[in-house]
Amino acid sequence: MGTPVERTLPRAQWLALAEEHSESVDRLTAGHRERRQRGERHPVEDFLFEYYRHRPTHLRRWHPGAGTALADAADVYGGRPGYVVDEEGTARLDIDSVVERRGRALGFVHGLLGATLSRPATHDCFGLHEWAMVYRLAPGEQRHEQLPLRLSQEETDAVVERNRVRCSHFDAYRFFTPDAVGRNSLRPTREDQVAFEQPGCLHAGMDLYKWCFKLAPAVPSGLTLAAFELAREIRELDMAASPYDLSDVGIAPVAIETPAGKAEYVERQRGFTARSNALRRRLLDVLDDLSARAGTRSSPSAATLGA
């Protein structure tokens, strides 16, 4: 492999790209920001900012990623964490600093993505994790108390009992009710996440957004935004297939308690699996490129990217 090439964007070009990115984020987050000012909640869009703890203002920051230098950028990128500016005012990713500070995280994500891509997708969970989170709860105990159930509590419990629960994602499994924990055929843990992650999991698909923004500024913002858009679509299916009635926010149910609902869920899940895997490969390419560039600069932490 040869030395990675760097391109330099003139000021007018990178400013236009940054502005285009910010405008895209503003369009996608307008509803969330307006509802927040009114004190209103939304079960899909709020999740992406509250659970993942990444603000719209952070999402709208544009990062070019490794291998792209920005001419005449000292006034914007000078002093910004993760960047260096040379004597001519050209800014670029501070690869040494990023790898030194984030080496373990970069290595973990690289290993997780590779392991996930190596496995076949499972498409028979039917979103039952959300049902397991309300299984046998008393009134007032459910996480989304502002959302009514589509069925009675007894009927909701019966759906869990009639179906095999097979959740492979720890960050969903950890919210199961005590009575539902034993019904899961798997026992995912935080420590075993790499061993359990599989590409059909909706939550693993949403988490691609998390990995992108957590590895900023090493990840180009275009990839982070694509992961955000996918996560928003996945979250809508996640909640549509849940036991909650979301008609007030215009989300029709995917009634997974019926054969037709299960078929619809699987069809949409397969589409998300393909899109998630495409983003996984793109993110792996970013990490491999970063590793190659760190290696050419003889960074002492370069080897951690492939750990």
Side-chain angles (χ1 to χ4, degrees), residues 8-297:
T8 300
L9 301 182
R11 182 178 177 87
Q13 185 175 353
W14 65 258
L15 279 176
L17 291 171
E19 181 65 21
E20 181 182 355
H21 172 77
S22 297
E23 290 175 354
S24 295
V25 172
D26 288 344
R27 285 194 299 271
L28 290 168
T29 62
H32 167 77
R33 290 182 285 109
E34 291 168 2
R35 282 189 297 271
R36 187 173 182 181
Q37 289 183 339
R38 297 194 299 266
E40 298 176 3
R41 298 188 59 77
H42 193 282
V44 172
E45 294 189 12
D46 290 349
F47 176 86
L48 297 178
F49 299 107
E50 295 177 359
Y51 178 79
Y52 286 123
R53 299 184 182 276
H54 194 60
R55 301 174 185 173
T57 52
H58 294 161
L59 180 60
R60 74 193 305 273
R61 292 176 187 168
W62 183 71
H63 300 292
T68 299
L70 311 176
D72 191 17
D75 58 323
V76 177
Y77 287 88
R80 182 177 290 191
Y83 289 90
V84 291
V85 180
D86 64 23
E87 294 179 353
E88 298 179 350
T90 299
R92 55 179 54 83
L93 185 71
D94 186 350
I95 295 175
D96 291 343
S97 173
V98 168
V99 173
E100 186 69 34
R101 291 185 297 106
R102 308 304 303 279
R104 290 185 63 183
L106 292 164
F108 170 78
V109 174
H110 191 284
L112 179 67
L113 297 178
T116 304
L117 282 168
S118 73
R119 299 189 181 105
T122 299
H123 296 121
D124 60 354
C125 68
F126 307 120
L128 283 163
H129 57 276
E130 288 288 344
W131 297 72
M133 293 178 194
V134 299
Y135 180 63
R136 290 188 175 179
L137 287 184
E141 292 182 341
Q142 70 188 49
R143 294 178 63 223
H144 301 290
E145 193 61 37
Q146 75 279 11
L147 298 175
L149 296 176
R150 291 193 290 107
L151 309 175
S152 69
Q153 183 66 56
E154 293 75 16
E155 291 170 325
T156 300
D157 294 344
V159 171
V160 177
E161 292 163 0
R162 285 198 306 267
N163 291 275
R164 182 181 69 155
V165 183
R166 192 178 186 278
C167 180
S168 59
H169 196 74
F170 174 72
D171 281 318
Y173 177 62
R174 67 191 176 99
F175 290 111
F176 280 25
T177 67
D179 287 335
V181 167
R183 290 187 167 274
N184 196 36
S185 61
L186 301 174
R187 293 292 182 272
T189 66
R190 178 72 69 205
E191 293 72 22
D192 293 333
Q193 184 174 3
V194 174
F196 275 98
E197 207 88 314
Q198 54 87 18
C201 173
L202 295 191
H203 278 259
M206 284 190 286
D207 276 355
L208 286 168
Y209 168 56
K210 175 177 69 175
W211 303 131
C212 284
F213 74 71
K214 280 187 174 293
L215 299 181
V219 178
S221 290
L223 177 53
T224 303
L225 187 57
F228 172 80
E229 293 183 88
L230 177 62
R232 192 167 73 161
E233 292 182 48
I234 291 176
R235 177 60 176 175
E236 183 167 331
L237 175 59
D238 194 41
M239 292 304 291
S242 77
Y244 300 110
D245 182 353
L246 302 174
S247 56
D248 284 350
V249 293
I251 297 178
V254 176
I256 57 90
E257 68 272 21
T258 68
K262 283 184 169 67
E264 180 183 353
Y265 183 90
V266 170
E267 180 181 5
R268 293 172 64 178
Q269 186 182 31
R270 289 184 185 277
F272 288 138
T273 297
R275 291 172 61 187
S276 296
N277 277 343
L279 291 183
R280 285 186 182 95
R281 294 185 184 97
R282 286 177 60 185
L283 185 50
L284 272 175
D285 286 344
V286 167
L287 298 182
D288 287 340
D289 178 69
L290 186 66
S291 179
R293 293 177 187 279
T296 62
R297 296 168 66 87

